[in-house]
Amino acid sequence: MADKTADKRQQILITAMQLFSAKGASETSMQEIAEVCGMSKGSLYLHFKSKEELEKSIYEHIIGRIKDEILRVDNDPLLEPREQLRKQAEVLLIHFMEIREFLLKQFHDQTVPGKPPFDKDNAQQEILQALQWFNHKLQVIYGPEAAPYTMEIAMLMGGILGTYIRFLFMPDFHLNVGQTAEHLIQLMDDVMASMLRRRPKPLIPLEVVLGQKDLCQVDLRSPRHPLIVIKAMKNEMKQLKLDHELRQDTLESLEIMEKELITLQPSRAVLKGMLRNLEGIEGLEDLYEELRNTITTVLETYLTPGGMT
């Protein structure tokens, strides 16, 4: 009985994916899916409580298929580790080709921008496991001395692979999967050889990424730029009853910071000095802290290390 239920569930997933590929999710009703599957709408809802749950399950089904195929290649004793990785890159590209129309329709049919079609916690674990797997794979191929560079190689290869996948979505563009996978692995060989020869200090060690609590952050809003915070402080000052001299000094400090921030090389000393002028002003405490933090980020990112201390 359990097997029949699993088979029926898989039939629904495949049918829904085909219909979504042809028409998009918004134009496909649960009634239509049920009819194509040869079942009643009520029976369909016994397997999936809503179309949203069905869509989420389709993504899980796709990811599960890819993961199973990757692991099958991993366990092939006839393939050397490097050849396994080449084959696994090929597997990814082939699967994306197979689901290309489905993904295209989903991208164009997204009714809630930013809403992920997956479970964030599960995706977090999948990413961490994939990074650990890739770290182990590279050390098997290149030796333990490759360990410091596996995260940066993963980022590079992921970016290149993602670009190849985007080309798969271009109309009338044909990408040879076998050649693409081989080229990707050869690029990885070249980059790793350069890393092992130069031995640079890794910018992003693997352990830093593995220690992140949320790799699947849905809220992608960045901290506000200092100029935006300064504008907010000016607006807030209109509501505050400040001493005339304090008001003038505060506005002058903010304007100096504005001018400094739009230069090619903002002065750390000037920004730190102006920030001290803003410290402790009643009614601006929260905005001051936001400004201090965001300027610290600007200085640490674009200028020499040291922050605001």
Side-chain angles (χ1 to χ4, degrees), residues 236-244 246-247 281-284:
E236 185 64 26
M237 285 177 61
K238 296 175 183 178
Q239 312 300 323
L240 299 178
K241 295 181 179 180
L242 300 177
D243 175 83
H244 176 73
L246 177 59
R247 181 182 296 276
I281 298 176
E282 188 174 353
L284 294 179

Side-chain angles (χ1 to χ4, degrees), residues 22-293:
K23 302 173 59 178
S26 63
E27 297 298 322
T28 305
S29 67
M30 293 291 273
Q31 179 65 48
E32 185 176 2
I33 295 170
E35 290 175 358
V36 175
C37 290
M39 60 195 306
S40 68
K41 186 177 178 181
S43 297
L44 176 59
Y45 277 110
L46 292 176
H47 294 277
F48 300 97
K49 296 177 182 178
S50 65
K51 189 193 290 186
E52 289 73 23
E53 182 183 329
L54 178 54
E55 288 183 70
K56 178 181 174 182
S57 297
I58 290 173
Y59 279 95
E60 292 172 349
H61 172 71
I62 291 169
I63 293 169
R65 284 179 55 195
I66 295 174
K67 186 176 179 180
D68 288 346
E69 185 68 14
I70 294 289
L71 293 177
R72 187 191 67 77
V73 175
D74 233 13
N75 294 321
D76 189 336
L78 300 179
L79 297 177
E80 294 295 326
R82 184 186 181 281
E83 177 61 17
Q84 287 178 347
L85 198 55
R86 187 204 66 78
K87 183 71 174 175
Q88 286 159 337
E90 196 173 299
V91 165
L92 280 174
L93 290 168
I94 289 172
H95 276 286
F96 271 98
M97 288 179 68
E98 291 176 347
I99 62 175
R100 179 172 59 181
E101 296 304 318
F102 168 74
L103 292 177
L104 279 172
K105 279 292 189 297
Q106 290 297 99
F107 294 152
H108 293 140
D109 198 33
Q110 190 73 20
T111 56
V112 185
K115 183 179 179 182
F118 52 80
D119 184 275
K120 196 175 74 169
D121 292 335
N122 287 341
Q124 168 90 359
Q125 291 303 312
E126 292 287 349
I127 292 172
L128 291 176
Q129 289 173 13
L131 288 173
Q132 291 171 325
W133 169 84
F134 192 70
N135 171 58
H136 173 74
K137 196 78 170 180
L138 291 190
Q139 290 191 60
V140 170
I141 295 173
Y142 300 108
E145 60 269 24
Y149 309 115
T150 55
M151 186 63 235
E152 290 175 346
I153 295 292
M155 292 169 59
L156 179 63
M157 293 299 105
I160 295 173
L161 184 60
T163 301
Y164 290 159
I165 289 171
R166 288 185 183 92
F167 274 101
L168 294 177
F169 289 83
M170 292 184 178
D172 303 320
F173 184 85
H174 302 287
L175 196 65
N176 184 295
V177 170
Q179 290 179 356
T180 302
E182 179 60 30
H183 181 64
L184 184 68
I185 300 304
Q186 288 179 353
L187 283 173
M188 186 179 69
D189 288 342
D190 294 340
V191 174
M192 183 60 80
S194 174
M195 290 286 201
L196 295 179
R197 184 181 68 254
R198 296 184 296 109
R199 304 283 177 168
K201 182 179 180 181
L203 295 176
I204 306 178
L206 178 65
E207 55 270 20
V208 171
V209 179
L210 295 180
Q212 294 296 308
K213 294 181 179 180
D214 195 352
L215 295 174
C216 301
Q217 181 65 38
V218 176
D219 185 1
L220 299 178
R221 292 172 297 178
S222 300
R224 292 195 293 180
H225 190 278
L227 291 173
I228 302 299
V229 183
I230 289 173
K231 183 178 180 180
M233 293 182 80
K234 286 184 173 181
N235 288 334
E236 185 64 26
M237 285 177 61
K238 296 175 183 178
Q239 312 300 323
L240 299 178
K241 295 181 179 180
L242 300 177
D243 175 83
H244 176 73
E245 184 175 345
L246 177 59
R247 181 182 296 276
Q248 291 301 113
D249 289 347
T250 302
L251 285 173
E252 185 176 352
S253 296
L254 291 173
E255 287 169 0
I256 291 172
M257 293 180 78
E258 283 179 320
K259 293 177 182 178
E260 198 63 37
L261 285 165
I262 62 175
T263 63
L264 291 177
Q265 292 185 319
S267 167
R268 181 185 305 278
V270 170
L271 292 175
K272 290 172 70 174
M274 295 305 102
L275 267 177
R276 291 193 184 97
N277 293 343
L278 302 174
E279 189 173 3
I281 298 176
E282 188 174 353
L284 294 179
E285 296 92 344
D286 291 343
L287 286 170
Y288 167 79
E289 282 303 317
E290 183 181 359
L291 182 62
R292 182 182 184 279
N293 290 334

